[in-house]
Amino acid sequence: MPSRSPSPENTTPLPPFGVPSAPGPSIPLTESYTFHSPTPTAPGPYILGVDEAGRGPVLGPLVYGVAYCPVAWKDDLEELGFADSKTLTTEKRAQLLGVLSGDPVNLGWSVRVISPQAISSGMLRLPPTNLNKQSQDATIMLIRQALQRGIQLSEVYVDALGNTSTYEAYLSSTFPGINFTVTTKADSKFKIVGAASVAAKVTRDACIEGWCFEELDGDNQNGDPRGFGREFGSGYPSDPRTKAWIEGSLEPTFGFPSVARFSWTTVKVLLEKSAHPTKWYVIDEGQDSLVTAFSSSRGRDKDRNLVTRELCLRSVGTL
């Protein structure tokens, strides 16, 4: 697995082959992690671009990527062919990741891989951490770690949806002294964001293509006795191949393997429709209120103060 430590000094070197930011062979993606390329040695100041891959899919991780180079190297960057990764072929993206990794003096990049489990647990907990907040946290983490690694940033360009002016103001207040530009379609407007887009997309694709099911032992990864196929499709709920995989991979007692995002409506609806229902059995009289409190946040927890509810504290009547 690539470096998961947020510390700047814990950086994984690039191997001569493969996608260095993806999990290694036969390693399940069970937790989120961060990968950093070697720190560029050219003098600053630097520009940095931010983009993501995998925000909408129901399968696999969400990956945030950053790329950075010296301001003085902007014209050279323009000639390298970086663009919105969705407009590029798989082969071209792989080639461009090689370009991004091939000039450690002037170019650097990092990715934050947010696992499907982390996405789901964040969105389903009380209070929930929605995808916008998880995305914001990943962006801030990557920018902060670039600064910790000694990169002097003067300009940061961020691809984002929604109210970009509010987000731009927030980032500017979080990192005073850096000029932020937050806009839609930044990956097609700024080459440094296109480079970040390539890093994120290639990493996510490698995670999906090499997905190792933690639910299976090593001998069963290819000849899968439980029916977990590898025809994931694009991962988007509207993709017929993705829909077929989801419908064919449901285990009625345990649900889906961890590649699926349990917080997505597509998965929730299918679980409600086709999975075994849960029934709570009352062990003895007096336990009814505990069961009600657990299943509906009522009963003993009714009318509890807001802080107690937000901390997810619950009453215990019987140990």
Side-chain angles (χ1 to χ4, degrees), residues 11-48:
T11 299
T12 305
L14 297 176
F17 56 90
V19 178
S21 50
S26 303
I27 299 178
L29 174 55
T30 58
E31 59 184 18
S32 304
Y33 67 89
T34 305
F35 170 87
H36 300 293
S37 75
T39 305
T41 56
Y46 277 67
I47 60 172
L48 179 145

Side-chain angles (χ1 to χ4, degrees), residues 50-64:
V50 183
D51 201 7
E52 54 79 19
R55 183 179 175 88
V58 66
L59 303 178
L62 167 60
V63 181
Y64 265 79

